[in-house]
């Protein structure tokens, strides 16, 4: 039994909005806000229901069993999100070179895989690869991720890599960490094959369990 990555759920919401034609000015992609990842979704046979009502997305499931009677109570809500139809990122400039310089401590690209292996995770949900990893103290991180050519079909692979490397900021004994809330997720353009990722502790407070993440192509 495997847990469906949060990146898959986010990509599902974003693709659903795109297919429904819910977008902002100039066909800019809507942003997800106030995302609540309530209950883990696991890869066992289940019926999936994705709904959009009153500017709120909801992903629910129920056991795939013909003997189960249809009712509202039979559906379990896993994830909800509101949308910002205007979309757009909060900051449209990113100085990757400056972030890389601040993150002076070089970390082995194998560090993330070693950590997840220690907690019993057999592998990643997507075949992305960390090509560079650097840490700036206990509150900042810089990395470069390559998703491979197949990873550019959707944002899921890159989002999965970006969410996973955030664990490098959390020192000490490795433990299972999964996002429970996302304040805002906004995307511009198409997913690049290689991207730089900047992770920073919220309000620059070391040890906090809330982080800000920026993913940008290498031209920034």
């Amino acid at each position: 039994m495997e847990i469906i990555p949060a990146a898959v759920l986010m990509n599902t919401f974003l693709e659903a909005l795109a297919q429904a034609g819910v977008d902002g000015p100039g066909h800019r992609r809507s942003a997800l806000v106030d995302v609540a990842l309530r209950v883990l979704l696991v890869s066992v046979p289940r019926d999936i229901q994705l709904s959009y009502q009153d500017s709120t997305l909801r992903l629910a499931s129920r056991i795939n069993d013909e003997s189960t009677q249809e009712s509202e109570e039979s559906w379990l809500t896993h994830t909800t999100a509101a949308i910002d139809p205007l979309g757009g990122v909060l900051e449209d400039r990113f100085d990757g070179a400056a972030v890389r310089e601040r993150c002076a401590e070089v970390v082995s690209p194998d560090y993330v895989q070693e950590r997840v292996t220690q907690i019993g995770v057999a592998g990643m949900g997507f075949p992305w690869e960390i090509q560079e990893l650097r840490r700036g103290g206990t509150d900042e991180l810089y990395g470069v991720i390559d998703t491979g050519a197949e990873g550019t079909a959707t944002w899921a692979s890159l989002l999965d890599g970006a969410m996973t490397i955030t664990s490098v900021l959390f020192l000490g004994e490795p433990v299972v960490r999964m996002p429970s809330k996302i304040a805002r997720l906004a995307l511009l353009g198409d997913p690049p094959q290689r991207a730089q990722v900047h992770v920073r502790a919220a309000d620059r407070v070391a040890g906090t369990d809330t982080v800000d993440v920026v993913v940008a192509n290498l031209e920034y």
Side-chain angles (χ1 to χ4, degrees):
M1 183 174 66
E2 297 182 357
I3 297 171
I4 304 301
V8 173
L9 303 179
M10 298 304 95
N11 190 71
T12 299
F13 276 174
L14 292 167
E15 288 299 318
L17 290 175
Q19 291 295 322
V22 181
D23 51 23
H27 300 291
R28 183 163 57 185
R29 192 190 301 261
S30 298
L32 301 178
V33 295
D34 298 328
V35 181
L37 296 126
R38 300 180 177 182
V39 181
L40 296 177
L41 179 61
V42 296
S43 57
V44 296
R46 300 184 73 90
D47 295 324
I48 299 296
Q49 182 187 76
L50 183 60
S51 61
Y52 175 62
Q53 184 177 12
D54 298 328
S55 297
T56 299
L57 285 157
R58 173 179 174 266
L59 188 147
S61 76
R62 66 174 183 176
I63 297 175
N64 189 345
D65 186 349
E66 294 183 356
S67 64
T68 301
Q69 187 174 0
E70 175 75 30
S71 70
E72 186 65 27
E73 289 73 23
S74 65
W75 292 95
L76 176 65
T77 298
H78 296 278
T79 308
T80 59
I83 72 164
D84 173 6
L86 297 180
V89 296
L90 299 181
E91 297 180 14
D92 59 1
R93 299 304 305 169
F94 172 65
D95 192 342
V99 173
R100 185 178 185 276
E101 184 177 356
R102 288 199 306 269
C103 297
E105 179 190 353
V106 177
V107 181
S108 168
D110 298 326
Y111 179 81
V112 173
Q113 182 61 61
E114 293 169 355
R115 295 276 286 186
V116 298
T117 300
Q118 290 176 25
I119 57 177
V121 178
M124 304 300 183
F126 295 89
W128 47 265
E129 178 183 86
I130 299 174
Q131 297 188 325
E132 182 180 7
L133 195 57
R134 306 170 70 93
R135 187 161 45 204
T138 58
D139 66 353
E140 195 167 21
L141 174 72
Y142 173 87
V144 175
I145 292 176
D146 187 336
T147 64
E150 66 278 7
T152 61
T154 73
W155 279 92
S157 183
L158 196 50
L159 291 176
D160 184 64
M163 291 181 186
T164 303
I165 69 170
T166 60
S167 64
V168 178
L169 277 188
F170 302 103
L171 303 177
E173 291 297 318
V175 296
V176 177
R177 295 183 185 274
M178 289 171 286
S180 60
K181 294 182 179 179
I182 298 175
R184 181 181 179 87
L185 175 60
L187 303 174
L188 297 178
D190 298 320
Q193 177 177 329
R194 298 178 67 235
Q196 50 192 337
V197 179
H198 179 213
V199 182
R200 184 174 61 187
D203 300 321
R204 305 305 296 268
V205 178
T208 181
D209 60 0
T210 302
V211 296
D212 297 319
V213 181
V214 174
V215 178
N217 63 38
L218 296 179
E219 282 66 48
Y220 270 83

